Amino acid sequence: MTIELVFTDYKPQTHDLNLLYKQACLHDARFKIVFPQETEEEKRLFIVLVKSYIDSRYKMGYTIAAEDLQYLIDKVLLLKTLTESICLEKINKFTS
């Protein structure tokens, strides 16, 4: 959502992680490294992320494998760092 807001001045009213990820990648290809989906395992882990985004809030007793959780923590931290960097680059272009 942050990328869309900084790049288009529009905050999407969606929580669809697939759509938000695709939009971020369209604005800057560097996002493609965050959640690659080249292998079956990478695809599975992205699905885990999407499902956990909803299930962890609404399903009592939701669980996730420790290995999957660590992978996703690392990816979300990368996403946060990359988002900050790319947004600052874009904002600096507005002020120069």
Side-chain angles (χ1 to χ4, degrees), residues 25-89:
C25 290
L26 288 174
H27 290 298
D28 196 301
R30 289 176 284 180
F31 283 109
K32 292 178 182 179
I33 67 166
V34 179
F35 293 107
Q37 295 180 42
E38 301 298 319
T39 68
E40 291 303 314
E41 182 65 2
E42 290 168 341
K43 291 175 188 175
R44 183 190 73 77
L45 287 162
F46 189 74
I47 291 169
V48 169
L49 174 68
V50 171
K51 286 185 55 108
S52 67
Y53 183 68
I54 298 165
D55 292 353
S56 64
R57 291 181 289 167
Y58 300 111
K59 290 190 177 181
M60 293 296 291
Y62 174 79
T63 61
I64 183 171
E67 304 83 30
D68 291 352
L69 181 59
Q70 188 57 58
Y71 173 87
L72 293 174
I73 288 170
D74 294 342
K75 291 299 187 173
V76 169
L77 290 174
L78 174 59
L79 177 62
K80 177 184 177 288
T81 301
L82 195 55
T83 299
E84 288 173 352
S85 174
I86 290 171
C87 285
L88 285 173
E89 286 176 14

